[in-house]
Amino acid sequence: MVRKTFLSIAFLLLALLIQGLIAPWMSIAGLRPDFLLILVLFVGRLEGKVVGQLFGFGAGLIADSIGIGSFLGLSALAKTVAGYGAGIMRRKQRRWSPIYMYLMEILVVLVHFLIIYLVNFKGSALSVQYIFFRYVLFSSLYTLVFYYLIKHFAALDLP
Amino acid sequence: MFIKILRFLISIHDFLLLLVLMTIASLILLSNESPQIRSLQGSISDALGFIHYPRKWITDLSGLIKENKELKAENLRLSLMNAALKEAYLENQRLRTLIQFQDTSHLDLIPAEVINQGVTPLFNSILINVGKKAGVEPNMAVITAKGIVGKTVAVGQNNTIVQIFLDPQFRLGVKFQSSRVFGIMQWHPDGYGEVHEIPKNVIIYPGEKVLTSGYSEIYPPNILVGEVLEVKPAPSGLFQIARIKPSVAVNAIEEIFVVRNRQWFVKPS
């Protein structure tokens, strides 16, 4: 438990560093992958809904506080939902087919970015469709690419 | 029951935790001052506006009770005001009639108001607000635009008691307008005037106007007294009796005139 906690904190610090220092260099058309979200997804998948959402809330709040995120509380909100969604998959991974798991992962990431961008562009003249295809979908795909790469190379016991 | 609820809450503890965390995150988010968050707050207010309806409904309901009470009070106040205005309107109408009457009358009239009724137990009377100071003397005729009322009997400096025609002792010389018959009218306890000793060969029709005869030192001639209600034979069989409905409703009069001059009457030499 203590080891897991320390590992989580260590990975959180690493993710914050990557997000703050490296991700800006990976920006494509102003969009970058969300390594913090990737960490939340892994924690949720491995530890379940309660730990996943608590970790997502804490990580998001820290990210917002140090300026990596957006408005204070926005990343916390989005990553809490993502942590919960990832935690659902932990209990279902033995019953759901891999396809469902992939779809669920995509859905969780989409919902996360949907929350982020809809709030970010709230009050602007941009339509929801434009926000979705230009920002949400692209950011989700960009993040999912890194998620699957990390999952593959880290050889985590995940479907 | 409590255990069941507790078990249910434990079974959904992860979902409850999600709600708590989302609420905290949302509260933190909504504390931002940026235009986007202000816009978001507006959208949330719009979306969740229905939550306020029950409270608003209750507030409105309690407000309605209070408002209803206030409206009732206002209604009463307006009703009273309306009654006062109606009163003023009717008074205005009466005064207009009286002014016209005063202008067209050749009589020297003292306007007065009735300030009390039945002031003496000895006879049917009213109290008016003019007296010696205004030139009123005993035995002056008191009239309205509608007809005869009575005569002055007791005159003070500022008030006068008037014996009205409802008194059984009241006598008045009258004439029937169409048939030109003269007679003495006296009051009957059943509420009508009666003229006795009308010759049987005279035809008097119900509805005929009855006027003052002018053969009096007190009452000027041709003042309306009333109209014939019915004519019936006297018990003796030689005469007939005319019942007269008075033109003036004494209980309703307020403005009257005292007739000061007596120039119509010429004393026999």
Side-chain angles (χ1 to χ4, degrees):
Chain A
M1 178 70 184
V2 177
R3 181 172 165 270
K4 274 186 180 177
T5 308
F6 273 115
L7 265 177
S8 299
I9 293 169
F11 277 115
L12 176 61
L13 289 173
L14 182 65
L16 287 170
L17 275 172
I18 294 169
Q19 191 67 36
L21 298 174
I22 299 172
W25 294 93
M26 302 163 76
S27 176
I28 300 172
L31 302 174
R32 59 192 74 166
D34 191 335
F35 291 100
L36 217 54
L37 174 62
I38 293 168
L39 181 63
V40 170
L41 289 176
F42 284 134
V43 171
R45 290 290 306 273
L46 291 168
E47 301 298 332
K49 287 187 280 189
V50 173
V51 177
Q53 59 187 312
L54 280 171
F55 187 81
F57 178 80
L61 205 58
I62 291 168
D64 289 335
S65 303
I66 61 176
I68 293 173
S70 181
F71 303 113
L72 185 64
L74 181 56
S75 293
L77 178 66
K79 286 177 174 56
T80 301
V81 176
Y84 183 83
I88 291 173
M89 286 188 284
R90 180 178 180 258
R91 295 177 68 180
K92 306 287 183 185
Q93 63 189 16
R94 295 181 194 281
R95 279 179 281 175
W96 284 2
S97 71
I99 298 292
Y100 282 142
M101 298 304 285
Y102 285 124
L103 287 174
M104 185 68 182
E105 283 168 340
I106 293 167
L107 182 67
V108 168
V109 175
L110 281 172
V111 169
H112 169 270
F113 282 112
L114 207 58
I115 293 170
I116 296 282
Y117 285 113
L118 282 181
V119 174
N120 259 312
F121 290 111
K122 182 69 188 156
S124 73
L126 300 177
S127 66
V128 175
Q129 292 92 329
Y130 182 82
I131 292 168
F132 182 79
F133 289 110
R134 168 68 178 80
Y135 295 96
V136 176
L137 196 59
F138 189 82
S139 296
S140 299
L141 290 173
Y142 202 9
T143 302
L144 281 168
V145 168
F146 282 92
Y147 171 74
Y148 288 119
L149 283 173
I150 293 167
K151 195 167 88 169
H152 177 74
F153 286 110
L156 293 169
D157 185 21
L158 298 172
Chain B
M1 183 68 182
F2 179 73
I3 305 265
K4 278 185 179 176
I5 293 170
L6 200 63
R7 277 180 184 165
F8 175 72
L9 290 176
I10 290 168
S11 70
I12 59 162
H13 71 283
D14 43 5
F15 183 71
L16 291 176
L17 179 65
L18 174 71
L19 291 180
V20 170
L21 293 176
M22 283 179 69
T23 304
I24 294 169
S26 299
L27 289 174
I28 295 168
L29 179 64
L30 292 173
S31 67
N32 287 278
E33 294 290 335
S34 67
Q36 291 96 320
I37 302 304
R38 288 281 165 267
S39 177
L40 181 67
Q41 285 174 333
S43 299
I44 292 170
S45 299
D46 288 343
L48 302 181
F50 69 93
I51 291 172
H52 301 292
Y53 278 100
R55 185 179 62 81
K56 187 177 181 300
W57 185 73
I58 292 166
T59 310
D60 286 353
L61 199 64
S62 62
L64 276 178
I65 293 167
K66 189 185 172 191
E67 191 180 358
N68 192 31
K69 283 181 182 173
E70 288 173 357
L71 284 174
K72 277 182 179 172
E74 180 72 5
N75 188 38
L76 179 64
R77 192 180 67 77
L78 289 173
S79 295
L80 292 172
M81 186 188 285
N82 192 35
L85 289 172
K86 269 186 183 172
E87 195 66 17
Y89 172 76
L90 292 173
E91 186 180 44
N92 182 270
Q93 293 295 103
R94 282 197 304 272
L95 289 172
R96 278 172 184 272
T97 311
L98 289 175
I99 289 165
Q100 195 178 6
F101 172 73
Q102 193 173 15
D103 287 346
T104 55
S105 172
H106 60 282
L107 303 172
D108 183 12
L109 302 173
I110 305 168
E113 285 184 18
V114 177
I115 54 177
N116 203 353
Q117 293 198 4
V119 288
T120 167
L122 299 176
F123 48 86
N124 278 326
S125 60
I126 56 174
L127 185 67
I128 60 174
N129 66 345
V130 290
K132 285 179 182 171
K133 285 184 180 175
V136 179
E137 294 173 10
N139 292 321
M140 283 183 166
V142 177
I143 61 175
T144 72
K146 288 183 178 175
I148 201 87
V149 173
K151 65 174 182 179
T152 59
V153 288
V155 182
Q157 291 296 319
N158 297 306
N159 299 108
T160 300
I161 295 173
V162 176
Q163 182 190 28
I164 56 176
F165 59 76
L166 293 175
D167 188 72
Q169 305 301 319
F170 188 83
R171 297 287 185 273
L172 180 65
V174 297
K175 64 181 176 191
F176 293 86
Q177 192 175 39
S178 301
S179 56
R180 314 306 296 171
V181 176
F182 292 82
I184 303 293
M185 191 190 82
Q186 60 186 17
W187 203 250
H188 196 271
D190 66 358
Y192 295 96
E194 282 187 351
V195 178
H196 291 256
E197 297 178 356
I198 300 171
K200 206 173 179 183
N201 60 342
V202 176
I203 299 171
I204 297 172
Y205 294 102
E208 188 174 340
K209 299 294 180 190
V210 180
L211 309 172
T212 50
S213 65
Y215 298 140
S216 165
E217 204 173 342
I218 299 173
Y219 303 103
N222 301 321
I223 302 293
L224 186 64
V225 175
E227 62 181 38
V228 176
L229 195 67
E230 62 173 339
V231 181
K232 59 183 181 182
S236 63
L238 298 174
F239 298 98
Q240 52 188 347
I241 301 168
R243 285 166 61 80
I244 313 296
K245 183 187 176 186
S247 57
V248 175
V250 176
N251 293 333
I253 56 173
E254 290 174 10
E255 296 87 14
I256 57 174
F257 295 94
V258 179
V259 182
R260 185 155 45 191
N261 61 333
R262 292 168 178 168
Q263 290 161 355
W264 69 88
F265 183 73
V266 180
K267 284 184 179 177
S269 57

